[in-house]
Every structure is written in structure tokens, then in C-alpha cells.
Amino acid sequence: MDSATNPNIIKKDPVPVTVSAPSSTGIQQGVGESPSSSTSPAAPSRYESQKRRDWNTFLQYLKNHKPPLTLARCSGAHVIEFLKYLDQFGKTKVHMTGCPYFGHPNPPGPCSCPLKQAWGSLDALIGRLRAAYEESGGRPESNPFAARAVRIYLREVREGQARARGIPYEKKKRKRPSVTTSAVGVNVSAVAATQAVDYGGGSGGTAGNLGTATTTTSL
């Protein structure tokens, strides 16, 4: 019986379904990404933070210098004075020539030799200050931290501390990356067999081609 003519069948209106489209904000932001994460500045690295502190320390040293010095008048001799000034804050025991522990890497007892800055610390400091000088607008050719006198002083400190502490400073050799080259072989057996078929070579010709097929040419 047709439902249109049967009065016992109750007609149900279709239930409307509403599909909400995702907001543009939810699409642009990644999953688990907060709105402020994309705008927060990246924190400086440990090297950059240390370089900034070293640079501020050197500028303060120039300001307190008697007579006061400007960065434009700073030379390699002033840089060496700054390095010697930092020795009072050093923590490395450097034995004097008359000390009984001179040249001993592990002295059995204490001594009255002074504490100084280790050569490695001074060398790293000069590298950071040299970069900070040029980043602040200084010209590379007038960089006082790259002066020849500074390099000579660092070398003397390295050699003197090596003798006093009995610890030789060996320059680390950089390992060259090993490049593995694989020879590309070209097998000509297929070419030789094709020639034998195309040219209808007999047993002699086929033998000659097979002899060629056993060779491998390296490119």
C-alpha cells in the first residue's frame, strides 16, 4: 500500500544537519601551537651571550683605564694589558721557575705560585672579542685583537704554561672527511653479443667478441 494514501503512516520531516566549517585561525595555527609562540624572539646562544659579556667587560676596562681609552685608539698593546689584568681573576696554578713542582702536571702538595688565566681561556676570549669588534662596526684591518703582538703574546703564554705545568698543548688535527669513490664499470658483453648477431659473425668472430666481453672499462 502506498504511504501517501495510508493514514496510519506518520510522516517525519528530515532533520537538518549543519556542518560548521573550521575557523581560519585554527587552520593557520598548527596543532598544539599557541598564538604567542610564533612571535616570541629566539633566545641568544651561549656563545653569543658570552661574547656580549666579554665585550661589555672590555669596554668597561677602557672606560676605567687611566687615562681613559677610546675604542678607536685601542691597539694590540692595550689588548695585552687587558689580558694581564685578567690574570688576577685566574684559577690556574702556574708554577714559577724556582718552584719544586715546576713541570709537574700533578703536584703532590700546595705551593705559593700565583693563579693565572689558562691559555685556552685567553685564546677563546680573544676569538670572541675579535668577532665582537667587527660586529660593532670595526674594520678588520684595524682590529686590535687580531694584531701580531697579541698572537705572539698568546703563543708565549701557551709555551710558558706548558713548561710550568708539564702539560703540552698539542694542536688538534682536523679529520678530513673520507670520500669513497666507486669505479663505474661498463660491461661490454651485451654489446659484443649484439654485434655478433647483427653482423652474422661465425665462430671466429664470436670468439673475438667474447674476448672483448671479458674486459671491464673503468670510467
Side-chain angles (χ1 to χ4, degrees):
M1 182 180 295
D2 190 1
S3 61
T5 59
N6 191 348
N8 296 325
I9 299 178
I10 301 176
K11 295 182 179 181
K12 295 182 179 180
D13 295 333
V15 180
V17 179
T18 304
V19 180
S20 59
S23 62
S24 59
T25 306
I27 296 177
Q28 294 176 358
Q29 296 176 1
V31 178
E33 180 181 359
S34 60
S36 60
S37 61
S38 59
T39 58
S40 59
S45 63
R46 182 179 179 182
Y47 171 79
E48 292 296 332
S49 300
Q50 184 64 48
K51 181 174 61 176
R52 186 180 307 171
R53 289 193 297 267
D54 295 337
W55 183 246
N56 292 334
T57 301
F58 181 73
L59 294 181
Q60 188 65 33
Y61 170 79
L62 295 182
K63 184 178 179 181
N64 297 335
H65 192 275
K66 295 180 181 181
L69 285 173
T70 60
L71 188 61
R73 296 179 56 189
C74 182
S75 64
H78 298 120
V79 174
I80 296 177
E81 290 180 3
F82 174 67
L83 297 180
K84 293 180 178 180
Y85 159 79
L86 294 178
D87 275 337
Q88 60 182 315
F89 309 106
K91 299 180 181 180
T92 301
K93 177 76 70 174
V94 180
H95 302 289
M96 306 300 291
T97 306
C99 179
Y101 302 140
F102 182 85
H104 289 267
N106 299 312
C111 64
S112 59
C113 293
L115 296 175
K116 295 185 177 181
Q117 293 285 345
W119 165 80
S121 300
L122 296 179
D123 185 63
L125 172 66
I126 289 299
R128 292 191 296 267
L129 292 177
R130 183 171 60 243
Y133 176 85
E134 297 180 5
E135 291 174 0
S136 301
R139 296 179 299 176
E141 57 271 15
S142 60
N143 193 332
F145 303 99
R148 183 173 180 269
V150 177
R151 296 196 302 268
I152 294 176
Y153 175 77
L154 288 176
R155 186 175 65 222
E156 293 176 350
V157 170
R158 180 188 63 185
E159 295 174 353
Q161 291 189 5
R163 291 191 300 267
R165 302 178 61 200
I167 303 175
Y169 294 100
E170 296 180 357
K171 188 176 181 180
K172 296 182 179 180
K173 297 181 180 180
R174 295 181 178 179
K175 295 183 179 180
R176 296 182 178 180
S178 57
V179 180
T180 304
T181 57
S182 58
V184 180
V186 179
N187 196 337
V188 296
S189 58
V191 179
T194 305
Q195 291 178 352
V197 174
D198 293 343
Y199 296 103
S203 59
T206 304
N209 290 330
L210 290 178
T212 309
T214 57
T215 61
T216 302
T217 304
S218 300
L219 298 181

